[in-house]
Amino acid sequence: MAGRIEARMRRAVTAGVSLAVMSLALGGAAQAETAPFRIGALNPVTGAGSPYGPGMQKAIILAAEEVNAAGGACGRKLEVSAEDTQTSPEAAVLAVKKLIEVNKVDAVMGTWSSGVTLAVMPITTQAGLPLLNTSGAPAISTEDKADLVWRFQATNDRFGQAFARIATERGFKRPATMAYNNASGIGNTEGFTRAWTAAGGEVVSSVVYEPKRPSYRSELQQILAANPDVIVMGSYLQDTTVILREWYQSGQSPDVKWIIPGWAANQQLIDALGPDVLANVIAVDSISNESAPSYAHFEAAYKKAMGADAPANVYAAMTYDMVIAWGLAMQQACPDTATAAVNGSIRAIDTADGAPVYTFAEGKAAIEAGRKVNYEGASSRLSFDEYGDVTPDFSLSEIDGGAFVRKGVVSF
């Protein structure tokens, strides 16, 4: 009798343990399915990119909140951990390692400046993580062997093509180039040179200069000695400020024009030099998809959060789109929201025959209804090519009333 009671007790305990294990297993599976997807926001909050970095970071957070408010992507909420690159490759490497090793992020978004992106890429690729960026160097495309890098900014080569188009339209005949010695600066001027010479033109002089120099008089003299009618720059704010100040103070070639990238032509440049120095400057920048409902939607949220107009920070629209596009790719890959599956679904949210959608909630509803979608982004139409690159439109702006004012648009 006692033996039979003990046997029944052993069977009951065994059954209880089995049920407990099953319950834990099922609970663990449910937890895995609903665990937040962790995004690493890696932005230039300080350093040369500081006019843009805080807004870029805030746009990532705004987009994540929007996805979460719509019930998440495939039931998963987004969680953001933020780090400052300091616009420095060395600082960015330390920051991305923290995001990967400590914060355990599933994707990294928002790197600005090609030097930073190229420094971070090997680390994210080795970890099997996608890297969504706003950098222009052509090498970013060619070095991405794993198809894990997605560029939301125009390549420097396309910037160079825009420079060449504008130089042609303005009737320039004798361009020269000056490039900051990094992948982005050289990429800008090489892209211009390829486009210009392919059309039968000649570049009269070219200089590549080193960063963080107190003076660029010798490089400037070399360029001006060739008597150019326009100087095309691949530059950043600090070096552009020094070069334009020294040119103006020299009084040499007062009629020469300058074509500079938009990221070097902001309010800080105006404050440093004044409108008289900048009267000969044409600033070229990529512009957002301003006629799309997605841009109006983003712009309203950004202005409310930042108290600033969205057009002043074209990169904020790009980082916003990174999160929305990724959330839609998660929904497209559902129920498999592992990083690799989502990464493989990004192009599926931009199908030519898909229904146009302009917000995450709208795209999520369409995907759940079994429809193909074509997300028209706030930053561009987001038509990713085979390299994961996009081609936005470009603006040309000139000083008018003490501010850079758009005077035209270049589309490819």
Side-chain angles (χ1 to χ4, degrees):
M1 181 71 175
R4 286 196 296 270
I5 292 173
E6 289 175 5
R8 283 197 296 270
M9 290 177 64
R10 283 196 297 270
R11 286 194 295 272
V13 170
T14 301
V17 170
S18 298
L19 287 171
V21 170
M22 186 180 298
S23 176
L24 286 170
L26 290 172
Q31 185 176 11
E33 290 174 3
T34 58
F37 188 96
R38 294 177 291 272
I39 292 171
L42 191 58
N43 311 119
V45 178
T46 58
S50 61
Y52 313 110
M56 295 167 71
Q57 186 180 97
K58 186 62 176 178
I60 289 175
I61 295 169
L62 286 173
E65 290 173 347
E66 183 176 328
V67 171
N68 292 343
C74 191
R76 295 182 69 178
K77 296 297 181 72
L78 304 185
E79 183 178 280
V80 179
S81 298
E83 291 290 331
D84 179 13
T85 68
Q86 303 174 40
T87 327
S88 160
E90 295 79 13
V93 165
L94 294 176
V96 79
K97 287 182 177 178
K98 177 182 179 296
L99 287 172
I100 294 171
E101 297 169 6
V102 178
N103 300 107
K104 306 295 184 184
V105 300
D106 302 300
V108 177
M109 302 184 185
T111 51
W112 185 94
S113 109
S114 296
V116 165
T117 297
L118 288 167
V120 166
M121 268 179 64
I123 300 169
T124 55
T125 299
Q126 184 176 13
L129 301 185
L131 175 63
L132 288 67
N133 70 90
T134 67
S135 305
I140 293 170
S141 299
T142 56
E143 293 301 314
D144 176 28
K145 309 299 185 184
D147 200 29
L148 283 169
V149 180
W150 303 91
R151 189 199 310 256
F152 287 68
Q153 167 67 300
T155 66
N156 291 121
D157 189 67
R158 288 169 183 152
F159 262 96
Q161 293 175 42
F163 291 169
R165 176 87 65 87
I166 291 165
T168 299
E169 291 175 354
R170 291 298 178 95
F172 297 121
K173 304 297 184 184
R174 295 180 56 80
T177 66
M178 297 186 70
Y180 186 102
N181 191 12
N182 75 355
S184 180
I186 294 172
N188 270 11
T189 56
E190 285 185 345
F192 167 80
T193 298
R194 277 192 295 272
W196 186 259
T197 56
E202 177 189 2
V203 175
V204 298
S205 183
S206 297
V207 165
V208 175
Y209 58 86
E210 298 304 317
K212 299 181 180 178
R213 295 272 298 278
S215 173
Y216 294 102
R217 287 190 180 89
S218 61
E219 293 89 346
L220 188 57
Q221 288 300 318
Q222 179 182 334
I223 288 291
L224 294 176
N227 192 31
D229 55 5
V230 64
I231 300 172
V232 176
M233 300 285 285
S235 57
Y236 293 94
L237 176 65
Q238 182 178 0
D239 45 294
T240 301
T241 304
V242 174
I243 290 169
L244 290 177
R245 179 185 289 120
E246 291 182 338
W247 159 73
Y248 188 80
Q249 291 175 345
S250 75
Q252 188 176 351
S253 302
D255 295 327
V256 71
K257 302 294 185 180
W258 299 79
I259 296 178
I260 70 175
W263 55 78
N266 52 32
Q267 188 61 46
Q268 290 186 21
L269 186 71
I270 299 171
D271 293 342
L273 298 179
D276 290 343
V277 180
L278 301 176
N280 287 19
V281 169
I282 300 168
V284 181
D285 206 352
S286 58
I287 54 177
S288 301
N289 194 12
E290 295 172 344
S291 63
S294 49
Y295 182 79
H297 177 81
F298 156 74
E299 185 178 32
Y302 183 83
K303 187 167 186 176
K304 181 178 179 181
M306 296 295 292
D309 293 330
N313 188 350
V314 67
Y315 306 101
M318 296 177 195
T319 54
Y320 170 86
D321 271 348
M322 291 175 187
V323 179
I324 300 300
W326 189 265
L328 290 174
M330 289 177 67
Q331 196 65 48
Q332 185 69 48
C334 194
D336 184 0
T337 56
T339 299
V342 179
N343 189 75
S345 298
I346 288 182
R347 288 186 177 89
I349 68 163
D350 173 43
T351 55
D353 59 344
V357 296
Y358 303 99
T359 66
F360 173 77
E362 187 180 2
K364 178 181 179 180
I367 293 169
E368 288 180 332
R371 302 204 308 271
K372 293 181 180 179
V373 298
N374 185 348
Y375 174 57
E376 291 279 339
S379 61
S380 75
R381 289 175 291 277
L382 291 187
S383 298
F384 293 105
D385 64 15
E386 68 271 27
Y387 298 107
D389 297 338
V390 298
T391 302
D393 292 336
F394 296 88
S395 66
L396 62 99
S397 301
E398 295 175 288
I399 285 290
D400 187 351
F404 279 108
V405 177
R406 185 182 301 172
K407 300 295 184 177
V409 174
V410 174
S411 297
F412 289 98

